[in-house]
Amino acid sequence: MDLIQRASKIAFNPSTYVNIESSRVESPILFYIIRIENISESRLRQLESWEELEDPNNASVDRVNKHKQGNNTKNNRVIREVDMSDDPLPHNNGSEAQIYRLLLKDCFDNYSYGYEFNDKLQFLRSRNSNGGPLPIVLGSRIIVYQGALILNGVIMLESAKCKFLGTDGVDKGFLDSLNSNIISKYANALRHELHNG
Amino acid sequence: MKILCVAEKPSISKAVSHILSGGKTKVRNSRNKYVKNYDFKFDFPGVGLCDVTMTSVMGHITNIDFPTQFSWGKCNPGRLFDAPTIDNVSNKEVFENISTEARRCNRLMIWTDCDREGEFIGHEIFSAAVKGNPSLRVEDIWRSQFSHLERSHILQAARNPIRLDMNSVHAVRCRMEIDLRVGASFTRFLTDLYRRTQVFPLEKGGFISYGTCQFPTLGFVVDRYNRVKRFIPEKFWYISITVKKDNKTETFHWTKNHVFDRLYLALIYQNCLKYENAEVVQLIERPTSKYRPLPLTTVELQKNCSMYFKMSAKRALDAAEKLYNKGFLSYPRTETDKFPPTMDLKAVIQKQTQNSTWGQYASELLNGRFRSPRAGSHDDKAHPPIHPVNFVKLEMLDNADEKKVYELVVRRFLACCSEDAKGKETKITLRWGTEEFTNSAIVVLERNFLDVYPYMAWKSTTPLPPLLRGETIKVATSVMKEGKTSPPQHMTESELIALMDANGIGTDATIAEHIDKIISRGYVVKVRKNKNDFIIPSELGMGLIEGFNDLEFDNLSLSKPFLRKRLENCLQDIVSGTKVKEQVIQEIIFLYKQAFGLSVQNSTKLIAACRRIMDTNSST
C-alpha cells in the first residue's frame, strides 16, 4: 500500500482535539481542499477583486504605485486610488504577504481547518494551471505528514509537513461541483459575511 | 523683407518684441483694445535685417459649429454625428487685424505656445493671414520654438525657426470635431430628456451638459462617494509586544501586520505565550535617504498646490500662466520631469541668490553643494520641467496665488539641484515563539534639500533600546489587540488630478478645466471637513452617472474613462503620424454613436436612476 492509499485510510476528526492545546499528527492524512480564504485582506477588498471578475466592464485597480501609473495602460481597468504620499514605499501586499486558511475534508467527510503557519506554502502562490481565479483547483488533495502541529483541533500547515498532490481525475464530478460558478460563489459568500458580520 | 510675427497672448507679443527689438519698438493700436501691433527691425540669419510687425491673438480666433438647420430643436440630436460642420470666425477684430497686417508681409512667423493647441492656433493665424495675403503658403511659415521668455532663449528661438507641425494641427481639429459632435448630441438629448420628464428641476435656460472628459471625471467622484457610503467596517486582530531595557520600554509591531481571523490569532498567540523571551534575530543599521523631489510637471504642480495651499488646480495653473506671461517662470504646461542635459541649471540658481529667504541657500549650491537633478521618465519633447526663469521679489507679484506658486517653483527647483536628505535607520526584529516583531528608528543626519523645501518633512524618531543581535530579552508585555478598517476618504482635488492623469483623461493642461467644469455645472460640490476640501457629487451628478452605469454598455461606458482614453491615444497617433484625422474621427464617432443609440433606447433607465437617487436622498 503506497503512502496516498495509507493516508486515505486515516480519519481526522477535529472535535477529538478541540480541547487539546497542542498535539501532533500521528500518521499521514489525506485531505481534500474544499475552500481557500485569504485572512490577511479585508473581505470588502477581496469582494472588490471578485466583482471585478464578475463584471469586467466595471473593473478597477485598487492601488497603483505612482511610479507605475504611466505603464498601466491595460484597457478597461479604472484606476480608483493613487498613492498620494511623498515617498510611496513598495507595498508588501503581493501574494507573499498573504496568509491563507484552508477548509479541509478527510476521506471520511470530516471537515477541519488548516492555517498556513510559520512559512509560505508555495502551491498557494503559483498561478492556477487552469487559469482560474484561485491559485489551485478546489478539491485538490494534500497529504499532511506525521508530526504536523495541531492547535485546538486546527492543523497548522508548514511546507515540510505537507505535500500538495493536485487533483485526481476520478473525482471529476466532485471537482466540477466545487469549481463551477466559482466567481459568483466567492462573491456571494463574501457579501453574505460582510452584511451578516 | 517684412515679417509678421503673431503670439498667442498680448503679454507674450509685448515681451518678445521688446527682446527682439532691444527695446526699440513703435506701438500701434489695433481695433481690439488689448491687442497691440509692435513695429521694429530684426536681423534674421540668412535673410538679413527685416521689418517686423509683432502682434497677437487672444487664444482661438475661429471655432467650428453646425449650420443653422442643425441648431437645437431643428433636428434630432443623433444627426449631429454626421452633420456637416462650418468654420466660424469667433474673434472678428483680432482675425481682421492679422489679415490687414499680413497684406504687406512676405513671411509669417508663429509665436504661439509650443503645444498642440498652440500649433492649431498657429494654423488659425495662418487662415487669417492668408485671407489678407493669398500669396502666403503654409509650408513657408516660420514656427519659433520656445519654453520661456528669457532673453537669450527668445533670440535663439527667433534665429532657429522650424515648420508648423501639421500633424498636431490635425489632431486638435480632430479633437474639436469629436468634442463638438459628441458634446452637442448628448447635451441636447440629456437636456430634452430631463426637461420632458421633469425628473430634476432645471432652471429656465439651464441644460445638462455632456463632455467626453467631464463625465469620466464625474465618474471618479461618484465612484469614490459610493465606496465611502457602501463601506462596511471589519474587525481585525494583531499582537503587540513590549520589551524593556535600560529603563526604556519599546513597543514592537507584528510583521504580519494584522489578520481578519480571530481564531488564527488566538491560536498563534496562545502558542507564543509558552515562550517567556524574545530573541533579537535581526539588527540592521543602514544609511537611508529621503529623495529630493523630481523636476516639476504641470500635474505635480497642481497636485502640490492643492495639497499644500488648498489651491484649486485651475487657480494654480492660472497663477503659473500669469507668471510665465510675465517672464518669471518657464511654460507651465509640461509633462517632462527631467531637465535637458544642455540646460544651464547653475545660471538659473544664480538668479535666485538675490532672494532674502532662499538666496543664501542658492549661493551655497553654487559653492559646491550643487547636485544634478534626478531624472524622471516622462518627456513631452516640447518643454522642460517648470522652473524659474527670472528673479522677482515676492512682494512685487500681484496676488497671493502668484506668490505661493512662484515660491513653490523656485524652492522645488533648488531642491531638485540639492543633495538628498541623509539619515541612519536602525531596524530591530525580534522573534517571539513563531512570530516576528519589528520596529525601526531614524536619525536625520543631513537635511540638505529639506532646508529649502519646507513642504516635505522628515524627522528623527525616538531611538530604539540598545539591543544586540542574538540577545535574548524578556517580553515585558504582550497583548492581542483588535482594530477595525476605516472607510476610504472622499475625493480630494489633488487625488482627482492624479486619477485623471493615471487613467489618461485629459492632458496635463486641461485637467484643471474639466474639474472646474463639473463644479460649475453643479454636478459636484466642494465641502470642507476637518480643514480639508473634498469633492462630492450632487444629486444631479449622481443621477447622471448612475444612469449611465445602469446601461449595459459593452466597453463603451460613458461614465468610465476608456473611450476618452482611446481618443487621447488616437490623437497621439495623429501627432506621431501613424494615423490620419479622418480615420480617427470615423473610428471614435462610430463608438460614441453606438453609445448614443443605446442611451436613447434606454432613456427610461437614465431617468429611473436619477429618480432613485433623489428618492433615496429625500427619504434619508
Side-chain angles (χ1 to χ4, degrees):
Chain A
M1 205 160 43
D2 71 4
L3 179 65
I4 299 178
Q5 274 183 313
R6 267 190 287 131
S8 67
K9 307 276 186 224
I10 307 295
F12 179 77
N13 187 351
S15 55
T16 319
Y17 298 88
V18 80
N19 293 320
I20 305 170
E21 195 178 307
S22 174
S23 54
R24 300 275 169 183
V25 169
E26 284 162 16
S27 58
I29 313 170
L30 183 74
F31 288 104
Y32 292 92
I33 301 172
I34 304 301
R35 187 177 162 82
I36 70 173
E37 287 163 287
N38 181 346
I39 60 164
S40 308
E41 200 171 57
S42 73
R43 288 175 183 84
L44 194 62
R45 201 147 255 228
Q46 292 183 55
L47 178 61
E48 282 173 0
S49 308
W50 286 103
E51 283 179 339
E52 187 176 303
L53 297 168
E54 263 187 328
D55 180 5
N57 279 331
N58 269 322
S60 64
V61 170
D62 279 301
R63 259 195 114 72
V64 181
N65 185 315
K66 67 179 169 186
H67 296 308
K68 286 188 187 156
Q69 278 170 30
N71 301 330
N72 204 313
T73 51
K74 271 189 205 160
N75 271 336
N76 302 345
R77 304 203 86 191
V78 185
I79 299 165
R80 291 157 97 185
E81 269 179 46
V82 173
D83 195 332
M84 299 298 289
S85 55
D86 285 334
D87 269 344
L89 295 166
H91 290 280
N92 194 9
N93 54 5
S95 67
E96 271 306 305
Q98 314 293 349
I99 303 167
Y100 292 95
R101 176 172 80 171
L102 309 184
L103 177 62
L104 304 170
K105 186 178 82 138
D106 68 6
C107 298
F108 301 87
D109 283 349
N110 296 309
Y111 286 85
S112 56
Y113 280 125
Y115 285 108
E116 260 192 308
F117 179 64
N118 241 353
D119 65 355
K120 300 290 171 194
L121 299 175
Q122 279 318 306
F123 66 88
L124 295 175
R125 282 166 181 76
S126 50
R127 291 224 154 250
N128 188 339
S129 52
N130 68 0
L134 290 172
I136 56 159
V137 176
L138 295 183
S140 294
R141 297 158 308 152
I142 184 176
I143 283 196
V144 176
Y145 294 134
Q146 186 176 353
L149 183 66
I150 305 167
L151 298 178
N152 294 94
V154 176
I155 301 174
M156 307 309 275
L157 297 164
E158 291 176 87
S159 301
K161 293 277 188 277
C162 65
K163 187 179 181 190
F164 181 69
L165 301 173
T167 55
D168 184 350
V170 297
D171 304 322
K172 193 168 180 309
F174 167 65
L175 295 176
D176 286 349
S177 73
L178 278 178
N179 291 285
S180 64
N181 293 324
I182 195 152
I183 294 172
S184 52
K185 269 190 217 161
Y186 262 83
N188 287 335
L190 286 163
R191 276 185 210 114
H192 181 82
E193 285 173 24
L194 272 169
H195 289 105
N196 300 288
Chain B
M1 184 129 163
K2 187 166 167 58
I3 316 281
L4 175 64
C5 295
V6 188
E8 193 166 321
K9 290 171 267 269
S11 57
I12 303 283
S13 93
K14 185 179 177 185
V16 171
S17 50
H18 186 79
I19 293 167
L20 299 187
S21 68
K24 290 178 218 144
T25 54
K26 211 176 94 191
V27 189
R28 286 180 289 118
N29 288 331
S30 76
R31 277 175 56 205
N32 181 293
K33 64 177 176 179
Y34 300 107
V35 172
K36 310 281 181 208
N37 298 324
Y38 301 90
D39 297 322
F40 56 93
K41 289 188 187 303
F42 186 75
D43 193 352
F44 286 98
V47 187
L49 199 63
C50 296
D51 287 318
V52 181
T53 294
M54 176 123 207
T55 186
S56 77
V57 289
M58 291 191 302
H60 290 279
I61 49 174
T62 62
N63 63 17
I64 53 170
D65 205 347
F66 298 110
T68 46
Q69 65 267 36
F70 291 93
S71 49
W72 201 321
K74 289 193 180 160
C75 78
N76 183 319
R79 289 187 62 198
L80 300 178
F81 288 105
D82 309 299
T85 58
I86 47 168
D87 289 318
N88 289 328
V89 172
S90 55
N91 194 332
K92 214 171 163 202
E93 286 174 352
V94 177
F95 189 95
E96 282 173 0
N97 180 49
I98 291 168
S99 301
T100 312
E101 293 299 320
R103 265 181 212 146
R104 289 177 308 279
C105 80
N106 308 91
R107 208 176 256 281
L108 182 61
M109 186 171 200
I110 300 296
W111 284 85
T112 49
D113 296 339
C114 291
D115 54 20
R116 253 191 235 165
E117 216 66 24
E119 227 58 24
F120 186 82
I121 295 171
H123 193 260
E124 290 180 85
I125 293 166
F126 168 73
S127 314
V130 85
K131 198 166 174 239
N133 183 350
S135 71
L136 292 172
R137 295 188 321 152
V138 74
E139 303 81 47
D140 296 336
I141 297 173
W142 279 349
R143 193 341 170 194
S144 63
Q145 267 187 303
F146 66 106
S147 294
H148 55 79
L149 298 172
E150 196 271 325
R151 189 173 168 274
S152 60
H153 181 72
I154 289 298
L155 288 172
Q156 166 85 2
R159 289 173 185 140
N160 298 285
I162 52 164
R163 280 187 172 188
L164 200 64
D165 175 15
M166 288 307 289
N167 284 350
S168 293
V169 175
H170 295 319
V172 173
R173 172 73 200 203
C174 177
R175 201 254 314 138
M176 286 167 81
E177 188 175 328
I178 290 171
D179 280 350
L180 174 71
R181 291 186 189 282
V182 178
S185 51
F186 274 100
T187 299
R188 290 184 197 180
F189 158 67
L190 287 171
T191 306
D192 290 345
L193 180 68
Y194 271 61
R195 272 189 197 150
R196 203 172 58 238
T197 53
Q198 296 188 332
V199 63
F200 188 86
L202 284 182
E203 282 172 24
K204 197 165 181 282
F207 57 95
I208 309 280
S209 132
Y210 178 88
T212 54
C213 269
Q214 274 177 62
F215 264 56
T217 306
L218 175 59
F220 291 128
V221 179
V222 172
D223 178 63
R224 177 62 57 86
Y225 181 81
N226 284 337
R227 288 179 69 201
V228 175
K229 289 282 158 205
R230 286 175 196 163
F231 178 79
I232 301 168
E234 289 171 70
K235 283 183 185 168
F236 56 74
W237 294 269
Y238 59 99
I239 307 170
S240 176
I241 63 168
T242 62
V243 296
K244 202 169 167 186
K245 185 164 185 189
D246 294 355
N247 265 336
K248 208 170 138 39
T249 306
E250 191 67 45
T251 304
F252 282 76
H253 315 287
W254 194 29
T255 53
K256 286 176 184 154
N257 200 9
H258 55 244
V259 291
F260 292 85
D261 186 316
R262 196 172 184 280
L263 173 63
Y264 172 81
L265 197 86
L267 295 174
I268 295 279
Y269 182 58
Q270 177 184 279
N271 194 49
C272 287
L273 282 174
K274 291 179 198 154
Y275 304 86
E276 210 171 279
N277 295 324
E279 186 194 347
V280 180
V281 288
Q282 198 181 41
L283 192 156
I284 304 172
E285 285 193 333
R286 60 184 167 201
T288 179
S289 305
K290 181 145 185 105
Y291 293 137
R292 59 204 189 276
L294 280 171
L296 191 59
T297 61
T298 311
V299 168
E300 273 298 300
L301 173 79
Q302 292 173 325
K303 271 159 54 183
N304 288 353
C305 285
S306 172
M307 223 178 325
Y308 305 147
F309 315 133
K310 316 275 175 245
M311 192 189 290
S312 75
K314 186 162 186 307
R315 269 171 56 201
L317 197 57
D318 285 350
E321 286 260 358
K322 290 217 176 81
L323 291 163
Y324 158 71
N325 289 336
K326 291 176 190 168
F328 298 132
L329 293 187
S330 64
Y331 190 57
R333 294 166 192 258
T334 175
E335 289 167 24
T336 310
D337 54 8
K338 56 181 160 197
F339 285 106
T342 49
M343 191 171 151
D344 188 354
L345 301 171
K346 288 188 180 170
V348 180
I349 300 173
Q350 179 65 50
K351 291 186 179 164
Q352 295 300 329
T353 55
Q354 330 167 36
N355 179 279
S356 55
T357 318
W358 57 76
Q360 176 66 27
Y361 186 91
S363 302
E364 284 171 23
L365 286 185
L366 294 174
N367 292 329
R369 298 188 65 187
F370 172 85
R371 293 288 176 275
S372 292
R374 290 165 64 201
S377 55
H378 305 95
D379 191 349
D380 63 14
K381 310 268 186 231
H383 298 283
I386 306 170
H387 62 276
V389 174
N390 280 313
F391 174 75
V392 60
K393 285 186 178 165
L394 290 183
E395 52 269 31
M396 302 299 286
L397 293 171
D398 288 344
N399 59 52
D401 284 1
E402 283 182 34
K403 287 175 193 171
K404 283 178 188 157
V405 169
Y406 183 75
E407 180 167 354
L408 170 68
V409 174
V410 173
R411 287 185 180 276
R412 174 83 166 215
F413 177 77
L414 296 174
C416 283
C417 297
S418 307
E419 181 70 273
D420 296 334
K422 305 275 181 188
K424 192 181 83 173
E425 184 190 14
T426 308
K427 187 178 173 195
I428 296 177
T429 307
L430 304 178
R431 179 184 277 272
W432 178 48
T434 54
E435 302 307 299
E436 290 192 346
F437 300 81
T438 188
N439 200 355
S440 57
I442 282 175
V443 184
V444 177
L445 300 171
E446 295 172 33
R447 287 179 47 81
N448 297 328
F449 85 89
L450 292 170
D451 284 336
V452 77
Y453 204 64
Y455 316 105
M456 265 190 201
W458 202 39
K459 291 199 171 100
S460 295
T461 54
T462 335
L464 296 176
L467 292 165
L468 299 169
R469 199 187 143 81
E471 181 177 347
T472 302
I473 185 155
K474 189 170 184 297
V475 174
T477 61
S478 69
V479 263
M480 226 177 107
K481 287 188 171 174
E482 183 180 292
K484 67 177 182 188
T485 54
S486 45
Q489 267 197 345
H490 279 302
M491 190 71 85
T492 60
E493 181 161 4
S494 51
E495 211 180 347
L496 184 56
I497 296 166
L499 281 174
M500 292 171 74
D501 186 41
N503 284 287
I505 285 296
T507 58
D508 51 10
T510 57
I511 282 175
E513 287 167 30
H514 300 311
I515 299 178
D516 201 50
K517 220 169 232 171
I518 59 168
I519 296 173
S520 66
R521 300 283 188 224
Y523 298 160
V524 300
V525 284
K526 273 193 177 176
V527 290
R528 180 156 281 217
K529 211 172 162 188
N530 303 333
K531 292 188 184 164
N532 282 314
D533 283 333
F534 294 103
I535 302 178
I536 61 165
S538 65
E539 282 183 337
L540 176 60
M542 285 284 285
L544 287 166
I545 293 298
E546 294 287 315
F548 280 119
N549 282 348
D550 284 353
L551 305 193
E552 310 238 318
F553 290 115
D554 188 16
N555 287 346
L556 291 172
S557 175
L558 294 167
S559 55
K560 300 268 168 0
F562 318 129
L563 264 177
R564 179 68 199 199
K565 182 179 183 170
R566 189 153 164 182
L567 170 60
E568 301 275 0
N569 290 342
C570 286
L571 295 179
Q572 199 50 49
D573 290 341
I574 298 179
V575 174
S576 58
T578 51
K579 273 191 179 158
V580 293
K581 184 185 88 182
E582 289 69 24
Q583 180 190 357
V584 172
I585 291 182
Q586 205 182 8
E587 183 184 322
I588 301 287
I589 288 294
F590 174 76
L591 295 172
Y592 275 110
K593 211 169 153 181
Q594 273 184 287
F596 185 81
L598 198 64
S599 308
V600 173
Q601 274 170 28
N602 292 287
S603 44
T604 43
K605 279 191 184 171
L606 291 175
I607 292 303
C610 199
R611 285 226 165 90
R612 192 174 69 227
I613 299 292
M614 309 230 347
D615 291 349
T616 318
N617 276 10
S618 59
S619 65
T620 53

